[in-house]
């Protein structure tokens, strides 16, 4: 039985990854922040299953800023594979919390790399990098060879973590992999990301609980995939003979406005009656058009995204209606 350690196990990707690894007969360990709910939201079904919780799924209290707690958790788990997903992941908030973002997202990655390197049997290491490292790219679509050019504090912190992961691979012989993840969504997405914000609002407006939806720049374009597809890619990245970097993307661009139209249409409402743009929600800097080329992941990992943008938004709207 392989053992895996996941930072950020309580989040969207961490919880889907835990489910995937458990289905593949792993023993799964996850770090949770002291004082957090311990995965009440997305891990509740796993925690309620007496055949799983404390048998093949274990949670350790360890903040990514606390090297001692992380070391203890890693020593107890003795993992074969480490998946580092924890970060301050909201790009907009990274402008308000610049230092915190760099500490958690940038230094947190370096801290974990250093701890992993010093373990008696260094495990394989996956770093959840981001398309935000490309910021304002000179080429489109972006792939593993595209020069980094971050324009947000979050993108900058992720660039640091990405480069450190490469340095530990090249100089310390660590089996270290960067997954350069473009936007990926699901009903488990945090409420302050634009897909979930729109789908939640649409369900609330449909049920008469909300009157309008205020958004920032609806002309912004992104390459939106589905989180369950990307988590499969994350796992595949660590199952190869040699470590490398991979772009996970769909190769298709959509506007925020497309999400608005799809989501309102799904409940039979005219978006024009409810949506308002607000200057305060525009970011000081925002990548305009991030779109990835996943050819390498397809060729080497045999990875293929299976769930479309339209299916993902429809699933998210249905989940919000059900929740209400
Ligand atoms: O959903 P978002 O907040 O995602 P963003 O900033 O692209 O970042 C996400 O994807 C990255 C991968 O590329 C991850 F690394 C990162 O951790 C995160 O998961 O915003 C998407 C777009 C942006 O252009 C934003 O300006 O939507 C625009 N937007 C317009 N109105 C809004 C809003 N975003 C949010 N969150 N809220 C709005 O009201």
């Amino acid at each position: 039985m392989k053992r895996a350690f996941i930072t950020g196990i309580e989040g969207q990707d961490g919880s889907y990854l835990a489910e995937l690894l458990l289905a593949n007969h792993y023993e799964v360990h996850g770090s949770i922040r002291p004082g957090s709910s311990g995965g009440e939201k997305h891990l509740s079904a796993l925690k309620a299953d007496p055949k799983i919780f404390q048998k093949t799924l274990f949670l350790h209290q360890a903040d990514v800023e606390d090297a001692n707690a992380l070391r203890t958790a890693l020593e107890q788990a003795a993992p074969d594979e480490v998946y580092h997903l924890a970060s301050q992941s909201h790009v907009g908030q990274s402008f308000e919390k610049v230092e915190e973002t760099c500490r958690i997202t940038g230094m947190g990655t370096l801290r974990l790399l250093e701890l992993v390197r010093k373990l008696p049997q260094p495990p394989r290491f996956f770093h959840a990098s981001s398309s935000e490292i490309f910021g304002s790219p000179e080429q489109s679509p972006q792939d593993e060879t595209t020069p980094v050019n971050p324009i947000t504090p979050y993108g900058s912190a992720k660039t640091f973590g990405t480069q450190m992961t490469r340095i530990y691979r090249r100089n310390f012989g660590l089996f270290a992999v960067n997954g350069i993840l473009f936007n990926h969504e699901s009903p488990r997405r945090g409420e302050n990301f634009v897909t979930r914000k729109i789908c939640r609002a649409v369900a609330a407006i449909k049920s008469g609980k909300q009157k309008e939806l205020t958004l920032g720049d609806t002309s912004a374009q992104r390459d939106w995939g589905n989180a369950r597809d990307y988590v499969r890619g994350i796992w595949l990245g660590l199952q190869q003979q040699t470590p490398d970097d991979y772009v996970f993307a769909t190769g298709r661009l959509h506007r925020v406005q497309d999400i608005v139209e799809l989501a309102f249409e799904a409940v039979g409402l005219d978006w024009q009656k409810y949506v308002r743009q607000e200057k305060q929600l525009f970011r000081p800097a925002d990548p305009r058009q991030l779109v990835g080329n996943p050819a390498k992941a397809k060729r080497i990992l045999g990875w293929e995204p299976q769930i479309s943008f339209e299916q993902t938004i429809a699933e998210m709207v249905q989940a919000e209606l059900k929740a209400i």
Side-chain angles (χ1 to χ4, degrees), residues 89-91 130-131 154 181-183 189 192-194 197 215-217 220 222 256 283 286:
S89 62
H90 197 276
V91 180
S130 162
S131 55
Y154 170 85
L181 304 164
F182 283 65
N183 299 48
R189 189 54 143 150
N192 53 0
F193 295 91
V194 79
K197 181 176 171 180
L215 290 169
D217 184 359
R222 289 287 187 279
V256 172
R283 295 177 184 171
D286 197 13

Side-chain angles (χ1 to χ4, degrees), residues 159-172:
T159 303
F160 174 81
T162 305
Q163 200 57 23
M164 279 298 170
T165 300
R166 290 175 179 153
I167 288 169
Y168 273 64
R169 177 166 77 219
R170 285 179 196 147
N171 298 289
F172 300 125

Side-chain angles (χ1 to χ4, degrees), residues 20 57 82 91 93 103 112 118 152-153 161 173 192 212 224 239 241 255 257-258 299 307 310 312 321 323:
L20 177 85
L57 172 67
V82 170
V91 180
Q93 283 178 13
R103 278 200 330 262
L112 205 60
K118 289 186 174 153
T152 63
N192 53 0
E212 65 170 9
W224 277 285
Q239 310 311 310
Q241 299 273 339
R255 300 166 306 156
Q257 179 63 27
D258 297 330
R299 192 177 70 252
I307 310 168
E310 291 78 8
T312 302
L321 288 169

Side-chain angles (χ1 to χ4, degrees), residues 58-74:
F58 302 88
L59 300 178
H60 304 257
Q61 293 211 359
D63 194 293
V64 286
E65 294 205 69
D66 183 346
N68 283 331
L70 275 178
R71 186 182 300 109
T72 304
L74 283 166

Side-chain angles (χ1 to χ4, degrees), residues 82 84 109 112-113 116 123-127 165 174-177 238:
V82 170
H84 177 40
T109 302
L112 205 60
L113 279 163
V116 160
R124 294 184 170 200
F125 180 86
F126 177 91
H127 171 233
T165 300
L174 203 66
F175 193 110
V177 170
L238 284 197

Side-chain angles (χ1 to χ4, degrees), residues 17-89:
L17 181 63
E19 288 169 9
L20 177 85
L21 295 175
L22 289 166
N24 285 347
H25 311 295
Y26 278 63
E27 181 177 300
V28 176
H29 294 255
S31 63
I32 57 169
R33 265 176 302 173
S36 85
S37 66
E40 290 311 327
K41 267 201 233 156
H42 307 322
L43 298 176
S44 54
L46 295 176
K47 284 180 76 178
D49 188 335
K51 289 201 285 299
I52 292 178
F53 193 47
Q54 309 287 36
K55 302 277 190 319
T56 52
L57 172 67
F58 302 88
L59 300 178
H60 304 257
Q61 293 211 359
D63 194 293
V64 286
E65 294 205 69
D66 183 346
N68 283 331
L70 275 178
R71 186 182 300 109
T72 304
L74 283 166
E75 283 169 359
Q76 284 171 357
D80 303 290
E81 298 170 4
V82 170
Y83 295 89
H84 177 40
L85 311 182
S87 77
Q88 189 304 95
S89 62

